[in-house]
Amino acid sequence: MKGITGEDELDFDVAWGTLGASIRQIFTKEASRLSFEQLYRNAYKIVLKKRGESLYEKVKEFVQSWLLNEVRPRILAALSPSLLAGNVGPGAATQVNEKRVAGERLMNALKQAWSDHNACMGMTTDVLMYMDRVYCTDNRKPSIFVASMGQFRDYILHAPVPSYDGPTISTLLYAVLLDQIQMERDGDIIDRALIRSCIYMLEGLYETEEEEEDTKLYLTSFEPEFLAASRDFYKAEGQSLLRSADAGTFCRHTKKRILEESDRCRSTLSPLTLEKIKAVIEKEMIQDYMRDVIELPGSGVKFMLDNDRLDELEMIYDLISKVDPKKEELKNAVQKRIVELGTDINNTAMANAQLQPVKPTNPAGEKGEGEGEAKTSPDRPLNQQTAAAVTWVDDVLNLKEKYDNVLAVSFDSDQGLQTSFSRSFSDFINVFERSSEYLSLFFDENMKKGIKGKTEGEVDSLLDKGITLLRYIQDKDMFERYYKRHLSRRLLMRRSISMDAERQMISKMKMEVGNSFTQKIEAMFKDMAVSEDLSTNYKQHVARLGDPDPRRAELEVNVLTSTMWPTESMNQSHGEGDARPPCIFPPAVEKIKHGFEKFYLDKHSGRQLSWQANMGTADIRAYFPESKGKVKTRELNVSTYSMVILLLFNDLPAGQSISCEEIQARTNIPMHDLTRNLQSLAVAPKTRVLIKQPMSKEVQPSDLFSFNGSFYSPFTKIKIGVVSNGNKIEDQDERKETEKKNNDARIGIIEAAIVRIMKQRKELRHQELIAEVIQQLTSRFLPDVTMVKKRIESLIEREFLDRADDTERPAYRYLA
């Protein structure tokens, strides 16, 4: 290929003269008449003649001269006195409109300069394409376009302002940008497109010619200033809000700011800054102040929870989730409130239980003559202490329902918070020493009358709620003890509204706690079913005997397996640990009793029957003289003890009386039970079938009782209920006795667990054995470590276990 002829220096000067003049025309926007093809050939020939370096430097010199002599003066002319005086930035005092105008003038000048520079250098690069491809590549020089961008950075943005010490054009630009952003944060309208153009310029310029992503001027110069200014702003705003606003307002404003900054990064600044500015807000307004916001008196989390501010709680949750995945501050605040409310419920229940019980004004229910048996009204108020127990459970369930709703609606069913909620409920429920007894009483009252009129779904929901509380109770064996006690009375007194509901309850307990928990309870139902068949068979047996006595009493017996029923509470005398003495029945009843015993023991030899007169009822017929000499018959439904008492008066001559002390001697009824039954028969206004002398509410051993021949009632059937002892809740002595028996029962359970574990493991260290025993028994009760240690020692003494002497740490071996 033939090159340019003549002397090189002359040829290059001529060629550059032509090329340089054309490039000037491009920069002066007079390039319409230029032939870019001819210009490309000229540049091509220069590079081909090995003068690429000279051409490269000449172009750079031209661009430098253009920027210094043409562009920079226009930029400096756009600087207003307010900018040069330093009245920019977030703390500036200049009027908003003046700041906006001054800032927009500078930004427009830079936008135009940057746009022109890019356009002109784009066309120039097209002309010098061969130089970029050959000379720049071979000599590892940046392209002429990249070099010119560096020149714009150095001679325009980094250029100092004449007559002012310190500030450069870029310094003023950054201040203007921050000022504009601050105005928008304060609610003013700004030219977002203009700001975006300047940001685009900063993103297109780099600190070095390598143009690495992290060396963009936006990231190295402007963004740090933006984040620092934002950090100061949000720190101050957080402090101001904390002083003047409530917690809900603080959260709404913080959420609004996050949305604003996200929108600003997407539309005005750069998406590169989005996560960083979010981190600033999260640090300055959430992490640093959220604890104070949560604890704000009168508006914090406690206020939100108490006043059902679910939307504000949701905002708190969303905000704290950004800085703390575990939400510790929120979790602690809610847990604290749950325990406070639970403690209030506990204290209220104890206060209510200590009030004097309201005595019923009509212990006997009656019904019209010729109608069915009268029963106590289902709307009769509960015993004060029983009502306290039911109210305690209802209050805890309402609290649970409320916080379940908070968890679902405001906290997105957060698993960690749910666990902490459960722990809080468990804490205050287990601190309350009567929780097991109260929950059992809750089921007892509902099974007797609470579920009446409810649908299957409502009953199922009620039982599920109760089971939820059972899940929180640690000492489930205590609950089992109380539940069996209350269930035994429901079954024997036939007070359950629905046996289906009773069985449903057992099924739910079995799923929650396990088969071993419900084994004895299921056996109680089995005894009742067997007893029903037994009573039917006995009636058939009596019929086959052909007893000629038409006045023979009918007998229905429930035969209970002593190991399955709470016989210790059924046999125990009131207020005493001693067993209840056997009742002395009248001869007629004794004869029937012996007849059943013979029938039963003939079928089940080797068994022993123990009669529980305190658990039964009787229907007896009484004759009372009416006016005009007529005798009127009344059917009385009484307790078995009352029946025994009334039958004594059959052998007593008319007009004579018998003392309480003598009644007790002839019947062997415990004095406490005797007193209650005599009160029902002689003190209750509508059921005074006996006359008490002297008449008073309290019964003394010396009081005399006689048959009330003048008793009158318009009703044929009368139910004489035993006067309540006024307290279904155990007193302190009874509770200590229950706890003692429960601890005695735990001894066998703990020993069985130890033997079971050691039989499987053969040898185990002391701490590992303790941990495994606790783990196995936690679902039933929380074993005391001291008790476990004592049981280990006992098993060693009885040669079930032996100490392992050849180990460094204490260990045990199982002895087969």
Side-chain angles (χ1 to χ4, degrees):
M1 181 181 292
K2 189 174 180 180
I4 298 175
T5 59
E7 295 182 18
D8 290 346
E9 287 298 330
L10 182 63
D11 288 346
F12 175 78
D13 291 340
V14 172
W16 168 246
T18 303
L19 192 58
S22 298
I23 291 175
R24 175 172 288 276
Q25 284 183 285
I26 291 173
F27 274 77
T28 56
K29 301 180 180 178
E30 299 172 351
S32 58
R33 303 188 189 91
L34 293 178
S35 170
F36 281 83
E37 182 180 356
Q38 184 60 42
L39 292 176
Y40 177 83
R41 288 199 190 98
N42 289 343
Y44 171 80
K45 291 176 182 177
I46 293 173
V47 175
L48 198 64
K49 293 298 290 181
K50 307 299 183 183
R51 300 303 301 271
E53 181 179 2
S54 300
L55 177 59
Y56 186 81
E57 293 300 328
K58 284 290 185 181
V59 174
K60 286 182 64 178
E61 288 173 8
F62 170 79
V63 171
Q64 177 181 342
S65 173
W66 179 265
L67 291 174
L68 290 174
N69 298 320
E70 300 292 338
V71 178
R72 187 193 289 182
R74 291 199 295 269
I75 302 297
L76 294 176
L79 297 177
S80 67
S82 62
L83 292 180
L84 296 174
N87 291 331
V88 290
T94 313
Q95 294 298 321
V96 172
N97 193 50
E98 183 181 349
K99 287 196 291 184
R100 179 186 296 107
V101 171
E104 288 178 352
R105 185 184 299 120
L106 174 61
M107 289 191 292
N108 273 314
L110 284 170
K111 173 189 174 183
Q112 188 62 47
W114 170 251
S115 176
D116 290 347
H117 187 70
N118 268 279
C120 295
M121 285 309 303
M123 288 186 284
T124 302
T125 299
D126 291 341
V127 171
L128 303 175
M129 190 181 302
Y130 187 72
M131 181 188 72
D132 281 343
R133 190 166 64 244
V134 176
Y135 168 75
C136 294
T137 302
D138 291 347
N139 292 274
R140 297 182 178 179
K141 294 275 190 180
S143 68
I144 194 62
F145 186 86
V146 171
S148 70
M149 294 300 109
Q151 289 177 300
F152 189 91
R153 175 196 66 217
D154 295 337
Y155 300 126
I156 300 300
L157 289 184
H158 290 174
V161 179
S163 304
Y164 287 90
D165 184 21
T168 61
I169 293 175
S170 63
T171 304
L172 298 177
L173 173 63
Y174 299 158
V176 166
L177 291 173
L178 294 177
D179 202 42
Q180 294 284 316
I181 292 169
Q182 183 58 49
M183 284 191 287
E184 187 176 47
R185 285 172 176 163
D186 292 339
D188 294 320
I189 304 299
I190 61 173
D191 190 340
R192 285 189 163 195
L194 179 58
I195 295 174
R196 180 66 188 127
S197 297
C198 293
I199 295 298
Y200 181 74
M201 173 186 70
L202 295 176
E203 288 185 306
L205 295 173
Y206 297 82
E207 292 286 357
T208 61
E209 293 178 341
E210 285 76 13
E211 292 194 344
E212 295 175 350
E213 189 68 20
D214 58 354
T215 63
K216 289 181 176 181
L217 281 189
Y218 175 83
L219 295 176
T220 60
S221 300
F222 173 72
E223 187 183 73
E225 290 195 29
F226 168 70
L227 294 176
S230 299
R231 193 172 292 111
D232 294 339
F233 170 75
Y234 284 119
K235 185 172 185 176
E237 184 170 71
Q239 292 173 341
S240 175
L241 279 173
L242 199 61
R243 287 192 302 267
S244 61
D246 57 41
T249 302
F250 188 102
C251 293
R252 278 188 290 273
H253 190 79
T254 301
K255 191 173 182 180
K256 175 188 171 188
R257 286 301 195 192
I258 292 174
L259 294 175
E260 286 177 355
E261 294 296 344
S262 298
D263 178 62
R264 183 174 295 115
C265 287
R266 284 190 290 267
S267 62
T268 307
L269 301 181
S270 168
L272 298 173
T273 308
L274 179 57
E275 294 304 319
K276 299 173 187 176
I277 188 62
K278 280 185 177 180
V280 168
I281 300 178
E282 289 166 5
K283 170 66 170 62
E284 301 301 334
M285 294 193 71
I286 302 177
Q287 186 172 326
D288 287 356
Y289 295 114
M290 191 49 62
R291 180 175 183 177
D292 296 325
V293 171
I294 286 173
E295 295 177 354
L296 271 177
S299 67
V301 166
K302 178 181 176 180
F303 173 83
M304 296 176 186
L305 291 169
D306 292 347
N307 293 276
D308 297 325
R309 301 289 185 88
L310 299 183
D311 55 338
E312 294 180 357
L313 287 168
E314 184 177 7
M315 284 191 292
I316 288 268
Y317 174 80
D318 290 340
L319 293 177
I320 202 169
S321 297
K322 297 177 185 299
V323 298
D324 180 14
K326 294 183 178 180
K327 302 99 181 168
E328 288 294 340
E329 295 296 340
L330 177 61
K331 183 189 302 181
N332 293 339
V334 180
Q335 279 188 289
K336 180 181 178 182
R337 189 56 183 154
I338 291 174
V339 172
E340 287 176 350
L341 294 173
T343 302
D344 289 343
I345 292 173
N346 292 345
N347 294 337
T348 302
M350 291 303 296
N352 290 340
Q354 290 169 4
L355 295 175
Q356 289 297 322
V358 179
K359 293 187 177 181
T361 57
N362 179 20
E366 300 175 351
K367 207 164 188 178
E369 185 171 343
E371 297 181 7
E373 179 187 350
K375 295 184 180 180
T376 304
S377 168
D379 297 326
R380 178 180 172 185
L382 291 178
N383 169 284
Q384 185 75 38
Q385 294 180 321
T386 304
V390 175
T391 301
W392 178 83
V393 177
D394 285 336
D395 289 346
V396 174
L397 288 176
N398 290 336
L399 187 66
K400 177 74 168 59
E401 184 177 359
K402 173 177 179 174
Y403 279 86
D404 283 347
N405 185 53
V406 170
L407 184 69
V409 175
S410 301
F411 298 158
D412 195 28
S413 299
D414 186 278
Q415 189 64 43
L417 288 175
Q418 184 177 18
T419 301
S420 68
F421 284 14
S422 297
R423 190 179 303 116
S424 299
F425 275 91
S426 180
D427 287 346
F428 81 76
I429 287 174
N430 288 291
V431 164
F432 188 52
E433 62 179 10
R434 294 191 178 273
S435 56
S436 297
E437 184 181 8
Y438 276 18
L439 180 57
S440 179
L441 273 171
F442 170 80
F443 284 123
D444 186 53
E445 290 299 327
N446 277 286
M447 289 299 186
K448 288 192 295 189
K449 50 191 171 184
I451 62 174
K452 187 175 182 179
K454 294 184 182 293
T455 64
E456 289 185 10
E458 290 172 335
V459 172
D460 188 66
S461 176
L462 179 71
L463 298 182
D464 280 339
K465 289 178 180 179
I467 291 294
T468 299
L469 294 196
L470 176 59
R471 190 175 299 136
Y472 293 136
I473 291 177
Q474 289 179 346
D475 295 335
K476 293 181 175 61
D477 56 341
M478 280 290 283
F479 170 79
E480 179 191 8
R481 184 172 291 272
Y482 285 116
Y483 190 83
K484 284 170 58 181
R485 183 181 302 174
H486 295 139
L487 175 62
S488 67
R489 293 186 175 275
R490 292 201 300 275
L491 294 179
L492 296 176
M493 300 297 183
R494 303 185 186 280
R495 292 179 179 173
S496 288
I497 290 178
S498 169
M499 295 306 294
D500 289 338
E502 293 280 9
R503 294 187 179 91
Q504 189 178 357
M505 178 64 189
I506 294 173
S507 176
K508 290 181 180 295
M509 284 196 292
K510 184 185 293 186
M511 287 190 293
E512 179 64 31
V513 190
N515 291 338
S516 60
F517 186 84
T518 59
Q519 185 177 9
K520 291 186 178 181
I521 298 176
E522 289 176 300
M524 293 167 67
F525 280 90
K526 184 178 179 181
D527 280 352
M528 295 300 293
V530 171
S531 295
E532 189 175 345
D533 293 338
L534 185 64
S535 295
T536 301
N537 293 336
Y538 178 65
K539 288 179 182 178
Q540 294 171 354
H541 169 73
V542 172
R544 286 195 297 270
L545 291 177
D547 192 333
D549 185 2
R551 300 175 63 185
R552 178 184 177 89
E554 292 186 0
L555 182 66
E556 288 188 7
V557 180
N558 293 317
V559 180
L560 315 178
T561 307
S562 59
T563 56
M564 299 300 174
W565 290 71
T567 52
E568 74 282 357
S569 61
M570 294 159 60
N571 291 335
Q572 184 176 313
S573 296
H574 178 76
E576 301 291 339
D578 301 332
R580 186 183 298 272
C583 177
I584 301 174
F585 292 98
V589 177
E590 191 70 27
K591 179 182 176 182
I592 298 172
K593 185 165 81 72
H594 284 306
F596 178 81
E597 287 178 348
K598 184 177 184 307
F599 166 77
Y600 182 81
L601 296 176
D602 285 345
K603 292 179 175 292
H604 307 282
S605 61
R607 295 187 182 180
Q608 183 178 355
L609 293 177
S610 174
W611 295 81
Q612 305 296 319
N614 60 303
M615 302 300 292
T617 61
D619 291 328
I620 61 177
R621 189 174 291 115
Y623 301 95
F624 298 95
E626 293 280 344
S627 59
K628 301 179 183 179
K630 293 183 179 180
V631 176
K632 189 68 175 178
T633 302
R634 295 289 184 268
E635 292 185 10
L636 309 180
N637 176 260
V638 296
S639 69
T640 301
Y641 278 157
S642 291
M643 174 200 72
V644 173
I645 295 169
L646 289 174
L647 289 181
L648 292 178
F649 291 89
N650 280 344
D651 303 326
L652 196 67
Q656 292 193 16
S657 59
I658 184 171
S659 69
C660 172
E661 201 168 27
E662 187 177 351
I663 293 174
Q664 202 276 329
R666 293 175 62 178
T667 61
N668 210 26
I669 298 174
M671 184 55 72
H672 172 75
D673 293 313
L674 179 60
T675 300
R676 291 170 54 217
N677 281 273
L678 287 173
Q679 286 175 327
S680 299
L681 296 171
V683 177
K686 295 185 179 181
T687 60
R688 292 177 181 172
V689 295
L690 298 180
I691 297 174
K692 176 180 179 294
Q693 293 177 338
M695 174 53 70
S696 63
K697 288 185 178 181
E698 301 301 324
V699 176
Q700 302 298 328
S702 59
D703 291 348
L704 299 176
F705 295 86
S706 59
F707 180 70
N708 184 8
S710 62
F711 172 79
Y712 173 77
S713 174
F715 306 104
T716 301
K717 294 184 178 181
I718 307 169
K719 180 179 177 66
I720 304 178
V722 178
V723 171
S724 171
N725 58 9
N727 183 11
K728 281 188 178 181
I729 309 297
E730 291 181 326
D731 58 29
Q732 288 299 325
D733 292 336
E734 290 172 331
R735 178 163 182 80
K736 287 179 181 178
E737 183 66 23
T738 300
E739 289 178 345
K740 179 180 180 302
K741 290 176 179 177
N742 202 57
N743 287 333
D744 291 343
R746 287 180 177 180
I747 289 175
I749 297 173
I750 293 174
E751 287 185 350
I754 295 171
V755 171
R756 189 166 54 248
I757 293 168
M758 292 302 299
K759 189 174 183 179
Q760 181 183 8
R761 302 290 292 275
K762 304 304 180 187
E763 185 174 321
L764 204 58
R765 289 179 179 174
H766 173 78
Q767 291 299 334
E768 292 173 349
L769 177 57
I770 296 287
E772 286 205 31
V773 170
I774 292 175
Q775 182 181 2
Q776 281 197 12
L777 299 180
T778 297
S779 62
R780 189 171 179 83
F781 62 90
L782 188 61
D784 180 63
V785 175
T786 303
M787 182 181 286
V788 177
K789 291 179 179 178
K790 288 181 179 179
R791 297 340 306 158
I792 293 174
E793 293 296 328
S794 177
L795 289 171
I796 291 174
E797 290 175 5
R798 287 179 282 156
E799 297 184 351
F800 284 91
L801 306 179
D802 190 19
R803 286 188 173 85
D805 298 327
D806 53 350
T807 58
E808 294 181 3
R809 298 179 181 178
Y812 308 101
R813 289 194 181 96
Y814 176 70
L815 300 178

